Amino acid sequence: MQNQPQTVKKTFLSGVFLLSISTILVKIVGLLYKIPMLSYLGAEGMGYFNSAYEIYAFFCVIATAGLPVALSVLVSAALAKGENGRVQRLYRAALVAFFLIGMLGSILMAVFAGKFCDLIQSENAKLSILSISPTVFFICISSALRGYFQGYGKMAQTAVSQLIEAVGKLTFGLLLARAALLAGRPTYQVAAAAGVGLTLGTFASLLYLIIEKIRFRNSFMGKAENQNAKNALYTEKIGSICASLAKLAVPITLGAVSVNLTKLIDMTMILRRLQSIGYNEVLANEAYGGYTTLALSVYGLLPTLVNSIALPLIPLLSAAIASNNRERQLALVQASYRITAIFAIPAAIGISVFSKPILSLLFSGEEAAVLSAAPLLSVLGVSVFLSCMITATNSVLHAYRSVNRPILSLLAGSVVKIFVAYFLIGNSKIGIIGAPISSFFCNAVVVLLNLIFADRLCRIPSLWKIFAKPLFFSTVSAFFAWSFYQWLVDRMGEGRIPTLIVLGTMVIVYFILAVLGGGISDSDLSAVPFGKRLLPILSKIRHHKDRKESNP
């Protein structure tokens, strides 16, 4: 029994790692989906599809952000107490709640599709909204099942279902969009066909989870649960269970809604304000489609990769807080910030400096879209670091059970974003470039407030030192890489090979500088997946440095 805590910790961290890998793969599949879809729909069609998707995402966040987490927490707590009957009751109550919420969400999205189009001034997006609306129901039922499995500590079902959803969206979406395109359908109908593909991919994921639930029910754990459920199945009222779920779910949901609200602000402000300065609906959707499909796709990929590295430290922080170990808390908060900075700062600078080569690499053949999106990504790239820090600081505050403060920060950032986006996008000399600028100010406000809130809970001396070295080494490596890129372009011309060579060069130069300058320690590498395999390389670099210093 002495090894049980270690076993539980390893199981939990392996589950976190599995979900992190799944999330990364889902992001990559999503990017692969957008590359050919852009050639089918064009920037205009992607504008219609992305408008519908953001409305769906808002409904989805309201319905599923907090309840699955709350269900998993209550299920795991009931299992720890041996209350198998309560587990069954929790699952059934949550399933009914998810069913009703999902049905309501899908109906509202379909019924008010026209109103949403009026709000964003994009009438041609209506068919895409209708095609995606059933997805809210499917994702709600899937979330109930995922929360149930996670309560048992089983992350594989969630990870696999996410991949099925992403691959299904890719496969069905591309097939249906291509079929509509070959049939000579107008752009807005091709976008709607892609929306049907998204719905089918989500339905396929739900079918997998249903099959897994049936298999689990028939397994040993499921049989044990069913045998013990009879005695306690009706001992707790449904209202009490719903209250317990809501108590945990509402703060998480509000936080997620605040995050999603910034995306809706982007969509509404871009489409409406561009039309206020002379754009018609088609041109406004082309601008919005290029921004969301190209610039935001690259911007969203990097925070996912970086956050999956830093987030596994947070459960350890929760344990340190529970044991009132202040020294351990300080070390873990510093490690979370430092690892985020080590990976996010060079990523942010690299994206800003090499925005056009990166987009040309990913979206070859879409020169016009790349040219219009490159300046947007260059500005947006700076916010990559801030976006990663939002996740890191939110996680620290959540570990300290300070769940309301991140919501206040996000709401304050959203207010700033509304004002900045309204005035900048509505300025004909600035236009859509105001969208990434407003994102920067929004994220900066959120990070600043979160750092202030977190500092009151765990005061970190000389916080700026955590970010100074990664910033310096990133700037030096980016300058060297850009000079090298210009040299390669003069001899080879622009293309994929120079871009890949230079991006790889920047990573290597940054790593060497950070190791030699003390910006990356053994503990930093040990804390990240596969980092221990790089320790021998780090030792060789340091040994070589020490030999040169001892033998001048």
Side-chain angles (χ1 to χ4, degrees), residues 91 95 134-135 137-146 149 157-158 160-166 168 172 198-216:
Y91 169 68
L95 191 61
T135 311
F137 173 73
F138 296 144
I139 203 69
C140 278
I141 304 300
S142 296
S143 296
L145 292 165
R146 288 170 182 170
F149 282 121
Q157 287 82 357
T158 297
V160 173
S161 66
Q162 288 175 343
L163 282 174
I164 291 175
E165 182 181 327
F172 293 125
L198 171 63
T199 300
L200 291 176
T202 309
F203 181 67
S205 173
L206 174 59
L207 285 181
Y208 162 77
L209 288 168
I210 291 173
I211 293 171
E212 284 297 300
K213 177 61 173 68
I214 294 172
R215 289 177 57 188
F216 183 71

Side-chain angles (χ1 to χ4, degrees), residues 259-500:
V259 173
N260 199 260
L261 185 62
T262 62
K263 296 180 180 180
L264 287 178
I265 292 170
D266 260 343
M267 178 181 67
T268 305
M269 285 295 177
I270 290 172
L271 292 173
R272 291 183 67 91
R273 295 300 287 161
L274 286 180
Q275 292 182 59
S276 73
I277 58 174
Y279 285 61
N280 60 31
E281 181 183 342
V282 171
L283 290 176
N285 273 281
E286 283 182 357
Y288 176 69
Y291 175 61
T292 53
T293 304
L294 281 75
L296 283 182
S297 294
V298 176
Y299 164 78
L301 181 62
L302 269 298
T304 302
L305 299 175
V306 175
N307 292 339
S308 66
I309 293 171
L311 282 181
L313 293 174
I314 302 306
L316 304 179
L317 175 59
S318 298
I321 295 169
S323 61
N324 201 27
N325 187 337
R326 299 294 297 179
E327 184 178 348
R328 177 70 169 158
Q329 293 172 38
L330 176 62
L332 287 169
V333 173
Q334 285 179 317
S336 178
Y337 292 171
R338 187 172 60 251
I339 291 174
T340 299
I342 286 171
F343 289 93
I345 291 178
I349 294 177
I351 289 174
S352 294
V353 173
F354 295 101
S355 59
K356 184 175 180 295
I358 290 172
L359 289 176
S360 298
L361 175 69
L362 295 173
F363 298 93
S364 59
E366 299 291 338
E367 289 82 4
V370 167
L371 285 174
S372 62
L376 303 175
L377 180 59
S378 185
V379 176
L380 198 60
V382 182
S383 296
V384 167
F385 167 66
L386 296 174
S387 178
C388 294
M389 280 301 298
I390 288 174
T391 301
T393 51
N394 279 350
S395 299
V396 169
L397 292 172
H398 288 158
Y400 278 97
R401 302 295 188 268
S402 184
V403 295
N404 293 323
R405 287 176 176 175
I407 298 173
L408 294 176
S409 300
L410 285 165
L411 288 175
S414 297
V415 171
V416 171
K417 185 178 182 67
I418 290 173
F419 281 101
V420 175
Y422 183 86
F423 288 107
L424 293 186
I425 299 174
N427 186 322
S428 58
K429 295 181 180 179
I430 300 175
I432 195 171
I433 200 76
I437 294 174
S438 69
S439 294
F440 170 80
F441 282 103
C442 171
N443 291 349
V445 168
V446 175
V447 171
L448 179 61
L449 290 177
N450 276 0
L451 286 173
I452 293 173
F453 292 146
D455 189 60
R456 293 175 181 174
L457 299 169
C458 183
R459 188 172 297 278
I460 298 177
S462 302
L463 182 63
W464 66 271
K465 290 183 179 180
I466 295 176
F467 309 116
K469 286 185 177 181
L471 178 61
F472 175 73
F473 297 137
S474 298
T475 304
V476 173
S477 59
F479 178 79
F480 175 84
W482 179 253
S483 301
F484 184 41
Y485 178 71
Q486 296 300 321
W487 183 85
L488 283 176
V489 169
D490 289 340
R491 285 152 182 78
M492 302 174 62
E494 294 183 350
R496 293 183 176 181
I497 293 178
T499 300
L500 290 172

Side-chain angles (χ1 to χ4, degrees), residues 192-266:
V196 174
L198 171 63
T199 300
L200 291 176
T202 309
F203 181 67
S205 173
L206 174 59
L207 285 181
Y208 162 77
L209 288 168
I210 291 173
I211 293 171
E212 284 297 300
K213 177 61 173 68
I214 294 172
R215 289 177 57 188
F216 183 71
R217 185 182 62 192
N218 295 331
S219 69
F220 173 77
M221 290 180 69
K223 288 178 180 178
E225 175 191 305
N226 291 333
Q227 289 171 0
N228 290 295
K230 295 179 181 178
N231 296 329
L233 190 58
Y234 300 104
T235 58
E236 188 173 6
K237 292 182 179 180
I238 193 75
S240 176
I241 290 178
C242 290
S244 299
L245 287 168
K247 184 178 180 180
L248 290 172
V250 169
I252 298 173
T253 300
L254 289 175
V257 167
S258 299
V259 173
N260 199 260
L261 185 62
T262 62
K263 296 180 180 180
L264 287 178
I265 292 170
D266 260 343

Side-chain angles (χ1 to χ4, degrees), residues 52-62 109 132 136 260 263:
Y53 186 85
E54 292 302 340
I55 294 170
Y56 147 74
F58 186 73
F59 277 96
C60 185
V61 164
I62 293 175
M109 188 171 172
I132 293 178
V136 178
N260 199 260
K263 296 180 180 180

Side-chain angles (χ1 to χ4, degrees), residues 511 515 520-543:
F511 180 75
V515 170
I520 298 178
S521 65
D522 291 359
S523 60
D524 293 331
L525 282 181
S526 299
V528 303
F530 307 113
K532 291 182 179 179
R533 298 183 182 181
L534 296 175
L535 289 177
I537 300 175
L538 187 147
S539 299
K540 288 181 180 179
I541 294 174
R542 286 179 177 155
H543 179 67

